Amino acid sequence: MGALIWLASYPKSGNTWMRSFLHNLFRNSHQPVNINEIDDFCLGGSVAQWYRRYTSTPLREMSDEETARYRMQVQRDFTTVFPDSVFVKTHNYLGERNGVPLHNMEVTAGAIYIVRNPLDVVLSMMPHYDISLEEAIIALANEDAGTVRTESHAPEVYGSWSTNVRTWTRTPSPGLLVVRYEDMLDKPRKTFKQVATFLGVRPSPDRLERAIRFSSFKVLKAQEEKAGFKERPKVSRNFFREGKRDQWREKLTPDQVRQIISVHHEQMERFGYIPHDYRDAVPAPSAASA
């Protein structure tokens, strides 16, 4: 029986990329792993089949309280899938819902949290959820943001971008690795080697380079175009869109940039996401906090 390693992030922050890298790293194949087999390697934390072990009530008909009642045991069941570490994807913030933790820390060994500049996150949210830019900016700040209950998935609770980031990263721990999406792009060799080292893996340079190459945006996008990707939302034309950084410079107005910074400046400051030319958008400290 293994222990859980959470692959956590706010949506559209690089979680699928990280899962693909790890899948390719551990499989160590000489061709890219099929992206539609990614859930064979990394479990989805909200998949309904795990809840069906404990109740005949369809997931769609269950209340939040009922879901919470089974969540801790469902996550304990995850540990039986592999004899060693069990990777589990989550977009939930690190906290409680209905008085029950969203993550069972008793069976958790650690977590990798991926953080991405919210100025770019909103641009990826638009086509993914088929919403406007203004709707994406509002959703980014919504403390009740999450997914709705469906027949196949239990609801997830994201919280706002700031809450998601803060709850996962505020307490340093040897069992936690925080990775910036931008470093995955700009310094892939250094960043992904750090991920491997955190997991106790010492890959050869060739194996590391191959895993990075096989999980590149170009490869993932080509796979989706050829065979589709089952995690793509029905409202979205494609899951893998552009995979770039700093697109906000061309696509957000100064007012939109300032709006996002004014709400999320504390966590943006921590991760170096406030542009020098927008420092004036950071609210002045209040007298109470001074």
Side-chain angles (χ1 to χ4, degrees):
M1 184 160 55
L4 307 186
I5 297 179
W6 297 99
L7 300 183
S9 70
Y10 188 83
K12 305 309 297 177
S13 298
N15 199 303
T16 303
W17 183 7
M18 181 63 72
R19 287 185 288 146
S20 178
F21 164 74
L22 292 174
H23 198 181
N24 279 284
L25 179 70
F26 282 96
R27 287 289 174 86
N28 195 26
S29 172
H30 287 275
Q31 60 183 7
V33 174
N34 188 331
I35 56 170
N36 285 306
E37 297 176 359
I38 198 170
D39 54 357
D40 295 337
F41 165 79
C42 177
L43 305 182
S46 63
V47 177
Q49 69 183 59
W50 297 93
Y51 290 85
R52 296 188 186 121
R53 297 182 174 192
Y54 298 101
T55 177
S56 59
T57 303
L59 192 59
R60 186 187 293 275
E61 298 176 14
M62 289 172 59
S63 66
D64 287 346
E65 290 75 16
E66 288 177 300
T67 305
R69 187 186 313 154
Y70 300 118
R71 185 185 303 118
M72 293 298 95
Q73 186 55 50
V74 162
Q75 293 179 7
R76 188 175 297 277
D77 289 348
F78 290 165
T79 66
T80 66
V81 176
F82 301 115
D84 299 314
S85 299
V86 180
F87 293 100
V88 185
K89 168 196 171 184
T90 181
H91 289 314
N92 287 320
Y93 72 87
L94 186 59
E96 295 185 353
R97 190 73 164 185
N98 298 306
V100 178
L102 292 167
H103 304 86
N104 189 340
M105 303 311 289
E106 291 183 3
V107 293
T108 293
I112 297 173
Y113 187 82
I114 307 106
V115 59
R116 184 185 185 189
N117 190 336
L119 298 173
D120 282 325
V121 170
V122 291
L123 297 176
S124 289
M125 290 171 65
M126 292 168 58
H128 188 77
Y129 297 114
D130 191 24
I131 57 178
S132 69
L133 179 53
E134 285 304 321
E135 288 172 324
I137 292 173
I138 292 171
L140 199 75
N142 182 4
E143 294 297 348
D144 294 320
T147 58
V148 297
R149 182 185 308 280
T150 68
E151 196 62 46
S152 59
H153 287 82
E156 288 191 298
V157 188
Y158 308 154
S160 69
W161 179 86
S162 287
T163 291
N164 200 289
V165 173
R166 184 184 68 254
T167 55
W168 276 103
T169 67
R170 64 186 165 189
T171 305
S173 166
L176 171 68
L177 177 66
V178 180
V179 179
R180 294 197 332 155
Y181 178 93
E182 294 75 18
D183 293 333
M184 292 163 65
L185 280 173
D186 297 342
K187 300 178 287 187
R189 192 175 298 103
K190 177 181 178 180
T191 303
F192 286 113
K193 182 178 181 180
Q194 182 184 24
V195 171
T197 300
F198 171 76
L199 296 172
V201 181
R202 302 291 188 273
S204 67
D206 286 348
R207 180 180 175 184
L208 180 66
E209 290 287 347
R210 188 165 54 246
I212 292 172
R213 185 171 69 255
F214 285 172
S215 59
S216 68
F217 184 85
K218 179 180 178 180
V219 171
L220 298 180
K221 187 175 180 65
Q223 284 197 32
E224 182 184 19
E225 290 175 349
K226 181 178 180 179
F229 183 35
K230 61 186 180 182
E231 294 185 19
R232 176 186 63 82
K234 292 182 180 179
V235 298
S236 178
R237 292 184 58 187
N238 47 53
F239 188 96
F240 301 102
R241 194 174 58 89
E242 294 187 48
K244 299 177 181 178
R245 60 171 296 176
D246 295 334
Q247 295 183 75
W248 63 268
R249 285 280 184 188
E250 299 177 355
K251 299 184 179 182
L252 297 183
T253 68
D255 285 346
Q256 289 168 334
V257 174
R258 288 186 167 86
Q259 181 182 352
I260 293 170
I261 292 175
S262 68
V263 175
H264 302 286
H265 61 92
E266 289 185 8
Q267 301 309 312
M268 292 181 71
E269 185 83 71
R270 290 180 60 212
F271 291 97
Y273 289 146
I274 299 179
H276 292 297
D277 48 335
Y278 282 94
R279 298 297 309 178
D280 63 319
V282 178
S286 64
S289 62

